[in-house]
Amino acid sequence: MEEKIRFGGMEFANPLLAASSPLTETAGKVRCCQEAGFGGVILKTAAEYKRTGEGYGRKVVFLGEDYYADASYEREILTAEEGLALYEAVKAAGSGMAVIPSVSANSMEAEDWLRICRRFEMLGAGLIQLDFFYLGSSIRFGNGDFYRRLGEFLARLQSGLNAVVMPKLNFNFAPRETCMALADCGIGQVSLLDSIRVPLPERFGLHRDTTSYFGRKQLPLTLAYLRCAVEAGLEVCAGGGVSCVQDADLLLENGAKLVQTASFVLKNGFRSAPVLLHRTPAVISGNWRTWCEAERYGGKGCEFCGFCRK
Ligand SMILES: Cc1cc2nc3c(=O)[nH]c(=O)nc-3n(C[C@H](O)[C@H](O)[C@H](O)COP(=O)(O)O)c2cc1C
């Protein structure tokens, strides 16, 4: 019998988590995550905003095994109502997995984040991921005052909640300064590392400001952030660039308590997840796609994003 892992006040049956991604954007796919044997899921990020319908869909370009993906905020971020409904549906299905909502807001005002965190907390969330990815364009990282303000913001946010908050870092954050600021303001858990914004040349046809790189070249960066977080005494849910079981082991050997993955399973299917735990592939009921919303696109209405290389 495997020993349960305690992290941020929650229990996980094993250290492997499905990262906030297309893998966790519908209740059907979260059920596949359960059948695949994940110890937990971080749901697709939700924010309080109104979808105007002016966004654009996902586009993907593969260069070898690595890929670049592009989509608008509207395509990627669930509205608060969608996120809360997803959380409720997943909890009602009673997966037994640890379920972590992920939230975002477009300021560093604690009040803006508290509102949506409290709504998840009222539904029973004990641990909430804070997704800072889209703050990249609206704040100035790295100026002298930034890390003091970040600490104040997080301290205010955490003191207004019973749920534990877990910031998710991205490449905009200086690793050492950020991890020290988190530890100093009483944050105990951190999630890393989000994808890296890299504009491809125009001929690839992706939007410059929203294109991200996904692939194994990210792993050394993830390791660098992991080392700083461990040194600062934080508990880490680490991922970004994991492409085989040895990569997952490397993160655990370097002090991660949990490992999160998106691309490996997006590419190889839900059944592949147990491979990252040294287990044999799982049996998944139904023929679920990992990347697109099979219920919504189900054969018809394909987004033609290019992920399945058609
Ligand atoms: C299409 C797509 C959508 C994603 N959406 C989110 C999101 O809503 N919130 C979030 O925190 N991370 C999001 N991510 C980032 C993943 O959680 C993860 O950090 C990233 O893919 C790196 O891990 P990987 O190398 O295992 O893919 C997304 C990734 C992809 C590919």
PDB file of all heavy atoms in Angstrom, residues 19-22 44-45 58 67 76-77 102 129 131 168 193-195 214 218 240-242 260-263 266 291, ligand 1:
ATOM      1  N   ALA A  19      -1.526  18.659 -14.831  1.00  0.00           N
ATOM      2  CA  ALA A  19      -1.383  20.116 -14.747  1.00  0.00           C
ATOM      3  C   ALA A  19      -2.625  20.799 -15.315  1.00  0.00           C
ATOM      4  O   ALA A  19      -3.347  20.232 -16.141  1.00  0.00           O
ATOM      5  CB  ALA A  19      -0.149  20.548 -15.538  1.00  0.00           C
ATOM      6  N   SER A  20      -2.849  22.029 -14.886  1.00  0.00           N
ATOM      7  CA  SER A  20      -3.942  22.848 -15.420  1.00  0.00           C
ATOM      8  C   SER A  20      -3.712  23.003 -16.921  1.00  0.00           C
ATOM      9  O   SER A  20      -2.715  23.596 -17.354  1.00  0.00           O
ATOM     10  CB  SER A  20      -3.898  24.212 -14.721  1.00  0.00           C
ATOM     11  OG  SER A  20      -4.895  25.053 -15.221  1.00  0.00           O
ATOM     12  N   SER A  21      -4.598  22.466 -17.712  1.00  0.00           N
ATOM     13  CA  SER A  21      -4.339  22.351 -19.163  1.00  0.00           C
ATOM     14  C   SER A  21      -5.582  21.764 -19.825  1.00  0.00           C
ATOM     15  O   SER A  21      -6.567  21.466 -19.144  1.00  0.00           O
ATOM     16  CB  SER A  21      -3.148  21.406 -19.388  1.00  0.00           C
ATOM     17  OG  SER A  21      -3.521  20.079 -19.042  1.00  0.00           O
ATOM     18  N   PRO A  22      -5.524  21.510 -21.134  1.00  0.00           N
ATOM     19  CA  PRO A  22      -6.670  20.844 -21.762  1.00  0.00           C
ATOM     20  C   PRO A  22      -7.040  19.520 -21.079  1.00  0.00           C
ATOM     21  O   PRO A  22      -8.197  19.092 -21.162  1.00  0.00           O
ATOM     22  CB  PRO A  22      -6.184  20.600 -23.193  1.00  0.00           C
ATOM     23  CG  PRO A  22      -5.208  21.719 -23.437  1.00  0.00           C
ATOM     24  CD  PRO A  22      -4.515  21.916 -22.121  1.00  0.00           C
ATOM     25  N   LYS A  44      -8.365  23.564 -15.026  1.00  0.00           N
ATOM     26  CA  LYS A  44      -8.075  24.670 -15.959  1.00  0.00           C
ATOM     27  C   LYS A  44      -8.388  25.991 -15.257  1.00  0.00           C
ATOM     28  O   LYS A  44      -9.375  26.107 -14.522  1.00  0.00           O
ATOM     29  CB  LYS A  44      -8.969  24.484 -17.192  1.00  0.00           C
ATOM     30  CG  LYS A  44      -8.594  25.354 -18.357  1.00  0.00           C
ATOM     31  CD  LYS A  44      -7.444  24.780 -19.147  1.00  0.00           C
ATOM     32  CE  LYS A  44      -7.166  25.577 -20.412  1.00  0.00           C
ATOM     33  NZ  LYS A  44      -6.308  26.747 -20.213  1.00  0.00           N
ATOM     34  N   THR A  45      -7.569  26.985 -15.494  1.00  0.00           N
ATOM     35  CA  THR A  45      -7.700  28.273 -14.801  1.00  0.00           C
ATOM     36  C   THR A  45      -9.019  28.982 -15.134  1.00  0.00           C
ATOM     37  O   THR A  45      -9.456  28.998 -16.287  1.00  0.00           O
ATOM     38  CB  THR A  45      -6.522  29.193 -15.172  1.00  0.00           C
ATOM     39  OG1 THR A  45      -5.311  28.567 -14.730  1.00  0.00           O
ATOM     40  CG2 THR A  45      -6.647  30.569 -14.540  1.00  0.00           C
ATOM     41  N   ARG A  58      -7.188  27.809 -30.567  1.00  0.00           N
ATOM     42  CA  ARG A  58      -5.830  27.283 -30.426  1.00  0.00           C
ATOM     43  C   ARG A  58      -5.194  27.011 -31.783  1.00  0.00           C
ATOM     44  O   ARG A  58      -5.855  26.542 -32.694  1.00  0.00           O
ATOM     45  CB  ARG A  58      -5.866  25.969 -29.633  1.00  0.00           C
ATOM     46  CG  ARG A  58      -6.165  26.184 -28.181  1.00  0.00           C
ATOM     47  CD  ARG A  58      -6.108  24.883 -27.398  1.00  0.00           C
ATOM     48  NE  ARG A  58      -6.455  25.172 -26.016  1.00  0.00           N
ATOM     49  CZ  ARG A  58      -7.154  24.357 -25.238  1.00  0.00           C
ATOM     50  NH1 ARG A  58      -7.576  23.198 -25.685  1.00  0.00           N
ATOM     51  NH2 ARG A  58      -7.414  24.709 -23.993  1.00  0.00           N
ATOM     52  N   TYR A  67       6.653  21.669 -29.267  1.00  0.00           N
ATOM     53  CA  TYR A  67       5.623  22.401 -29.994  1.00  0.00           C
ATOM     54  C   TYR A  67       5.440  23.804 -29.435  1.00  0.00           C
ATOM     55  O   TYR A  67       5.856  24.110 -28.312  1.00  0.00           O
ATOM     56  CB  TYR A  67       4.288  21.633 -30.001  1.00  0.00           C
ATOM     57  CG  TYR A  67       3.586  21.483 -28.666  1.00  0.00           C
ATOM     58  CD1 TYR A  67       2.571  22.353 -28.277  1.00  0.00           C
ATOM     59  CD2 TYR A  67       3.920  20.455 -27.787  1.00  0.00           C
ATOM     60  CE1 TYR A  67       1.907  22.206 -27.065  1.00  0.00           C
ATOM     61  CE2 TYR A  67       3.264  20.295 -26.576  1.00  0.00           C
ATOM     62  CZ  TYR A  67       2.258  21.176 -26.218  1.00  0.00           C
ATOM     63  OH  TYR A  67       1.611  21.031 -25.016  1.00  0.00           O
ATOM     64  N   GLU A  76      -8.471  30.244 -23.601  1.00  0.00           N
ATOM     65  CA  GLU A  76      -7.776  29.454 -22.588  1.00  0.00           C
ATOM     66  C   GLU A  76      -8.361  29.586 -21.185  1.00  0.00           C
ATOM     67  O   GLU A  76      -8.245  28.665 -20.385  1.00  0.00           O
ATOM     68  CB  GLU A  76      -6.285  29.819 -22.542  1.00  0.00           C
ATOM     69  CG  GLU A  76      -5.496  29.309 -23.746  1.00  0.00           C
ATOM     70  CD  GLU A  76      -5.587  27.804 -23.949  1.00  0.00           C
ATOM     71  OE1 GLU A  76      -5.929  27.074 -22.997  1.00  0.00           O
ATOM     72  OE2 GLU A  76      -5.341  27.351 -25.077  1.00  0.00           O
ATOM     73  N   ILE A  77      -8.933  30.730 -20.864  1.00  0.00           N
ATOM     74  CA  ILE A  77      -9.345  30.946 -19.473  1.00  0.00           C
ATOM     75  C   ILE A  77     -10.856  30.750 -19.343  1.00  0.00           C
ATOM     76  O   ILE A  77     -11.650  31.396 -20.026  1.00  0.00           O
ATOM     77  CB  ILE A  77      -8.932  32.366 -18.991  1.00  0.00           C
ATOM     78  CG1 ILE A  77      -7.399  32.534 -19.136  1.00  0.00           C
ATOM     79  CG2 ILE A  77      -9.358  32.600 -17.546  1.00  0.00           C
ATOM     80  CD1 ILE A  77      -6.563  31.571 -18.304  1.00  0.00           C
ATOM     81  N   SER A 102      -7.717  26.357 -10.127  1.00  0.00           N
ATOM     82  CA  SER A 102      -6.699  27.344 -10.476  1.00  0.00           C
ATOM     83  C   SER A 102      -7.429  28.628 -10.849  1.00  0.00           C
ATOM     84  O   SER A 102      -8.415  28.589 -11.594  1.00  0.00           O
ATOM     85  CB  SER A 102      -5.886  26.835 -11.663  1.00  0.00           C
ATOM     86  OG  SER A 102      -4.977  27.827 -12.107  1.00  0.00           O
ATOM     87  N   GLN A 129      -4.614  27.049  -6.733  1.00  0.00           N
ATOM     88  CA  GLN A 129      -3.456  27.547  -7.494  1.00  0.00           C
ATOM     89  C   GLN A 129      -3.734  28.966  -7.994  1.00  0.00           C
ATOM     90  O   GLN A 129      -4.830  29.247  -8.490  1.00  0.00           O
ATOM     91  CB  GLN A 129      -3.167  26.636  -8.690  1.00  0.00           C
ATOM     92  CG  GLN A 129      -2.033  27.168  -9.574  1.00  0.00           C
ATOM     93  CD  GLN A 129      -1.701  26.290 -10.761  1.00  0.00           C
ATOM     94  OE1 GLN A 129      -0.950  25.340 -10.642  1.00  0.00           O
ATOM     95  NE2 GLN A 129      -2.261  26.611 -11.918  1.00  0.00           N
ATOM     96  N   ASP A 131      -2.757  31.494 -10.769  1.00  0.00           N
ATOM     97  CA  ASP A 131      -2.125  31.494 -12.095  1.00  0.00           C
ATOM     98  C   ASP A 131      -1.772  32.925 -12.478  1.00  0.00           C
ATOM     99  O   ASP A 131      -2.654  33.739 -12.735  1.00  0.00           O
ATOM    100  CB  ASP A 131      -3.136  30.870 -13.083  1.00  0.00           C
ATOM    101  CG  ASP A 131      -2.623  30.848 -14.509  1.00  0.00           C
ATOM    102  OD1 ASP A 131      -1.528  31.373 -14.756  1.00  0.00           O
ATOM    103  OD2 ASP A 131      -3.340  30.296 -15.373  1.00  0.00           O
ATOM    104  N   LYS A 168       1.606  29.932  -8.954  1.00  0.00           N
ATOM    105  CA  LYS A 168       2.286  29.209 -10.030  1.00  0.00           C
ATOM    106  C   LYS A 168       3.248  30.171 -10.716  1.00  0.00           C
ATOM    107  O   LYS A 168       2.845  31.212 -11.229  1.00  0.00           O
ATOM    108  CB  LYS A 168       1.290  28.678 -11.055  1.00  0.00           C
ATOM    109  CG  LYS A 168       1.993  27.928 -12.181  1.00  0.00           C
ATOM    110  CD  LYS A 168       1.031  27.227 -13.086  1.00  0.00           C
ATOM    111  CE  LYS A 168       1.757  26.330 -14.071  1.00  0.00           C
ATOM    112  NZ  LYS A 168       0.827  25.650 -14.987  1.00  0.00           N
ATOM    113  N   LEU A 193       6.561  24.822 -13.540  1.00  0.00           N
ATOM    114  CA  LEU A 193       6.823  26.134 -14.101  1.00  0.00           C
ATOM    115  C   LEU A 193       5.963  26.284 -15.332  1.00  0.00           C
ATOM    116  O   LEU A 193       5.887  25.355 -16.135  1.00  0.00           O
ATOM    117  CB  LEU A 193       8.313  26.211 -14.474  1.00  0.00           C
ATOM    118  CG  LEU A 193       8.855  27.550 -14.952  1.00  0.00           C
ATOM    119  CD1 LEU A 193       8.871  28.608 -13.877  1.00  0.00           C
ATOM    120  CD2 LEU A 193      10.257  27.361 -15.521  1.00  0.00           C
ATOM    121  N   ASP A 194       5.311  27.411 -15.498  1.00  0.00           N
ATOM    122  CA  ASP A 194       4.448  27.579 -16.668  1.00  0.00           C
ATOM    123  C   ASP A 194       5.293  27.634 -17.939  1.00  0.00           C
ATOM    124  O   ASP A 194       6.509  27.786 -17.887  1.00  0.00           O
ATOM    125  CB  ASP A 194       3.620  28.867 -16.517  1.00  0.00           C
ATOM    126  CG  ASP A 194       2.207  28.661 -17.034  1.00  0.00           C
ATOM    127  OD1 ASP A 194       2.068  28.063 -18.120  1.00  0.00           O
ATOM    128  OD2 ASP A 194       1.250  29.099 -16.377  1.00  0.00           O
ATOM    129  N   SER A 195       4.604  27.511 -19.072  1.00  0.00           N
ATOM    130  CA  SER A 195       5.298  27.497 -20.362  1.00  0.00           C
ATOM    131  C   SER A 195       5.989  28.842 -20.604  1.00  0.00           C
ATOM    132  O   SER A 195       5.734  29.824 -19.914  1.00  0.00           O
ATOM    133  CB  SER A 195       4.299  27.226 -21.472  1.00  0.00           C
ATOM    134  OG  SER A 195       3.296  28.209 -21.431  1.00  0.00           O
ATOM    135  N   PHE A 214       6.575  24.608 -25.634  1.00  0.00           N
ATOM    136  CA  PHE A 214       6.376  23.432 -24.770  1.00  0.00           C
ATOM    137  C   PHE A 214       7.335  22.331 -25.225  1.00  0.00           C
ATOM    138  O   PHE A 214       7.302  21.929 -26.388  1.00  0.00           O
ATOM    139  CB  PHE A 214       4.940  22.897 -24.911  1.00  0.00           C
ATOM    140  CG  PHE A 214       3.893  23.888 -24.495  1.00  0.00           C
ATOM    141  CD1 PHE A 214       3.397  24.823 -25.404  1.00  0.00           C
ATOM    142  CD2 PHE A 214       3.389  23.909 -23.198  1.00  0.00           C
ATOM    143  CE1 PHE A 214       2.430  25.745 -25.036  1.00  0.00           C
ATOM    144  CE2 PHE A 214       2.422  24.829 -22.817  1.00  0.00           C
ATOM    145  CZ  PHE A 214       1.946  25.751 -23.747  1.00  0.00           C
ATOM    146  N   GLN A 218      12.591  22.845 -21.653  1.00  0.00           N
ATOM    147  CA  GLN A 218      12.159  23.603 -20.466  1.00  0.00           C
ATOM    148  C   GLN A 218      12.662  22.971 -19.167  1.00  0.00           C
ATOM    149  O   GLN A 218      12.727  23.633 -18.126  1.00  0.00           O
ATOM    150  CB  GLN A 218      10.624  23.694 -20.440  1.00  0.00           C
ATOM    151  CG  GLN A 218      10.149  24.789 -19.500  1.00  0.00           C
ATOM    152  CD  GLN A 218       8.649  24.815 -19.305  1.00  0.00           C
ATOM    153  OE1 GLN A 218       7.902  24.426 -20.201  1.00  0.00           O
ATOM    154  NE2 GLN A 218       8.208  25.262 -18.150  1.00  0.00           N
ATOM    155  N   GLY A 240       6.936  20.986 -16.061  1.00  0.00           N
ATOM    156  CA  GLY A 240       7.368  21.862 -17.153  1.00  0.00           C
ATOM    157  C   GLY A 240       8.529  21.195 -17.838  1.00  0.00           C
ATOM    158  O   GLY A 240       9.650  21.213 -17.332  1.00  0.00           O
ATOM    159  N   GLY A 241       8.241  20.510 -18.950  1.00  0.00           N
ATOM    160  CA  GLY A 241       9.306  19.852 -19.703  1.00  0.00           C
ATOM    161  C   GLY A 241       9.477  18.374 -19.393  1.00  0.00           C
ATOM    162  O   GLY A 241      10.384  17.735 -19.918  1.00  0.00           O
ATOM    163  N   VAL A 242       8.616  17.808 -18.547  1.00  0.00           N
ATOM    164  CA  VAL A 242       8.739  16.371 -18.228  1.00  0.00           C
ATOM    165  C   VAL A 242       8.340  15.564 -19.466  1.00  0.00           C
ATOM    166  O   VAL A 242       7.227  15.690 -19.966  1.00  0.00           O
ATOM    167  CB  VAL A 242       7.811  15.996 -17.040  1.00  0.00           C
ATOM    168  CG1 VAL A 242       7.711  14.480 -16.886  1.00  0.00           C
ATOM    169  CG2 VAL A 242       8.311  16.643 -15.755  1.00  0.00           C
ATOM    170  N   GLN A 260       3.931  17.605 -11.787  1.00  0.00           N
ATOM    171  CA  GLN A 260       2.760  17.844 -12.652  1.00  0.00           C
ATOM    172  C   GLN A 260       3.170  17.713 -14.115  1.00  0.00           C
ATOM    173  O   GLN A 260       4.294  18.040 -14.493  1.00  0.00           O
ATOM    174  CB  GLN A 260       2.127  19.198 -12.377  1.00  0.00           C
ATOM    175  CG  GLN A 260       3.030  20.400 -12.434  1.00  0.00           C
ATOM    176  CD  GLN A 260       2.262  21.695 -12.208  1.00  0.00           C
ATOM    177  OE1 GLN A 260       1.217  21.942 -12.811  1.00  0.00           O
ATOM    178  NE2 GLN A 260       2.784  22.528 -11.312  1.00  0.00           N
ATOM    179  N   THR A 261       2.237  17.233 -14.902  1.00  0.00           N
ATOM    180  CA  THR A 261       2.525  17.051 -16.321  1.00  0.00           C
ATOM    181  C   THR A 261       1.319  17.428 -17.169  1.00  0.00           C
ATOM    182  O   THR A 261       0.180  17.168 -16.785  1.00  0.00           O
ATOM    183  CB  THR A 261       2.922  15.587 -16.618  1.00  0.00           C
ATOM    184  OG1 THR A 261       3.167  15.445 -18.023  1.00  0.00           O
ATOM    185  CG2 THR A 261       1.834  14.589 -16.245  1.00  0.00           C
ATOM    186  N   ALA A 262       1.594  18.026 -18.324  1.00  0.00           N
ATOM    187  CA  ALA A 262       0.534  18.281 -19.304  1.00  0.00           C
ATOM    188  C   ALA A 262       0.928  17.647 -20.644  1.00  0.00           C
ATOM    189  O   ALA A 262       0.312  16.690 -21.095  1.00  0.00           O
ATOM    190  CB  ALA A 262       0.288  19.786 -19.450  1.00  0.00           C
ATOM    191  N   SER A 263       2.006  18.170 -21.269  1.00  0.00           N
ATOM    192  CA  SER A 263       2.313  17.795 -22.661  1.00  0.00           C
ATOM    193  C   SER A 263       2.542  16.303 -22.868  1.00  0.00           C
ATOM    194  O   SER A 263       2.121  15.744 -23.889  1.00  0.00           O
ATOM    195  CB  SER A 263       3.547  18.568 -23.152  1.00  0.00           C
ATOM    196  OG  SER A 263       3.277  19.946 -23.127  1.00  0.00           O
ATOM    197  N   LEU A 266      -0.838  14.906 -23.030  1.00  0.00           N
ATOM    198  CA  LEU A 266      -1.556  15.461 -24.193  1.00  0.00           C
ATOM    199  C   LEU A 266      -1.111  14.736 -25.464  1.00  0.00           C
ATOM    200  O   LEU A 266      -1.915  14.413 -26.327  1.00  0.00           O
ATOM    201  CB  LEU A 266      -1.274  16.963 -24.325  1.00  0.00           C
ATOM    202  CG  LEU A 266      -1.927  17.867 -23.275  1.00  0.00           C
ATOM    203  CD1 LEU A 266      -1.344  19.273 -23.324  1.00  0.00           C
ATOM    204  CD2 LEU A 266      -3.438  17.920 -23.477  1.00  0.00           C
ATOM    205  N   TRP A 291      -6.460  16.671 -26.124  1.00  0.00           N
ATOM    206  CA  TRP A 291      -6.154  18.079 -26.406  1.00  0.00           C
ATOM    207  C   TRP A 291      -7.389  18.938 -26.626  1.00  0.00           C
ATOM    208  O   TRP A 291      -7.510  20.032 -26.095  1.00  0.00           O
ATOM    209  CB  TRP A 291      -5.236  18.151 -27.642  1.00  0.00           C
ATOM    210  CG  TRP A 291      -4.900  19.545 -28.060  1.00  0.00           C
ATOM    211  CD1 TRP A 291      -5.529  20.266 -29.027  1.00  0.00           C
ATOM    212  CD2 TRP A 291      -3.879  20.392 -27.536  1.00  0.00           C
ATOM    213  NE1 TRP A 291      -4.957  21.508 -29.144  1.00  0.00           N
ATOM    214  CE2 TRP A 291      -3.939  21.612 -28.237  1.00  0.00           C
ATOM    215  CE3 TRP A 291      -2.909  20.244 -26.538  1.00  0.00           C
ATOM    216  CZ2 TRP A 291      -3.077  22.671 -27.980  1.00  0.00           C
ATOM    217  CZ3 TRP A 291      -2.043  21.307 -26.283  1.00  0.00           C
ATOM    218  CH2 TRP A 291      -2.132  22.490 -26.986  1.00  0.00           C
TER     219      TRP A 291
HETATM  220  C1  LIG B   1      -3.083  24.391 -24.231  1.00  0.00           C
HETATM  221  C2  LIG B   1      -2.549  24.610 -22.842  1.00  0.00           C
HETATM  222  C3  LIG B   1      -3.310  25.328 -21.951  1.00  0.00           C
HETATM  223  C4  LIG B   1      -2.825  25.580 -20.671  1.00  0.00           C
HETATM  224  N1  LIG B   1      -3.606  26.264 -19.801  1.00  0.00           N
HETATM  225  C5  LIG B   1      -3.178  26.511 -18.540  1.00  0.00           C
HETATM  226  C6  LIG B   1      -4.010  27.146 -17.605  1.00  0.00           C
HETATM  227  O1  LIG B   1      -5.178  27.468 -17.866  1.00  0.00           O
HETATM  228  N2  LIG B   1      -3.505  27.382 -16.361  1.00  0.00           N
HETATM  229  C7  LIG B   1      -2.236  27.012 -16.012  1.00  0.00           C
HETATM  230  O2  LIG B   1      -1.833  27.246 -14.873  1.00  0.00           O
HETATM  231  N3  LIG B   1      -1.432  26.387 -16.891  1.00  0.00           N
HETATM  232  C8  LIG B   1      -1.862  26.132 -18.136  1.00  0.00           C
HETATM  233  N4  LIG B   1      -1.056  25.463 -19.023  1.00  0.00           N
HETATM  234  C9  LIG B   1       0.354  25.173 -18.646  1.00  0.00           C
HETATM  235  C10 LIG B   1       0.528  23.783 -18.057  1.00  0.00           C
HETATM  236  O3  LIG B   1      -0.145  23.681 -16.821  1.00  0.00           O
HETATM  237  C11 LIG B   1       2.022  23.483 -17.821  1.00  0.00           C
HETATM  238  O4  LIG B   1       2.532  24.410 -16.891  1.00  0.00           O
HETATM  239  C12 LIG B   1       2.845  23.586 -19.102  1.00  0.00           C
HETATM  240  O5  LIG B   1       2.191  22.907 -20.164  1.00  0.00           O
HETATM  241  C13 LIG B   1       4.244  22.977 -18.916  1.00  0.00           C
HETATM  242  O6  LIG B   1       4.165  21.628 -18.560  1.00  0.00           O
HETATM  243  P1  LIG B   1       4.406  20.436 -19.637  1.00  0.00           P
HETATM  244  O7  LIG B   1       5.792  20.568 -20.157  1.00  0.00           O
HETATM  245  O8  LIG B   1       4.182  19.189 -18.839  1.00  0.00           O
HETATM  246  O9  LIG B   1       3.387  20.637 -20.724  1.00  0.00           O
HETATM  247  C14 LIG B   1      -1.530  25.126 -20.292  1.00  0.00           C
HETATM  248  C15 LIG B   1      -0.800  24.351 -21.185  1.00  0.00           C
HETATM  249  C16 LIG B   1      -1.283  24.085 -22.451  1.00  0.00           C
HETATM  250  C17 LIG B   1      -0.488  23.229 -23.391  1.00  0.00           C
END
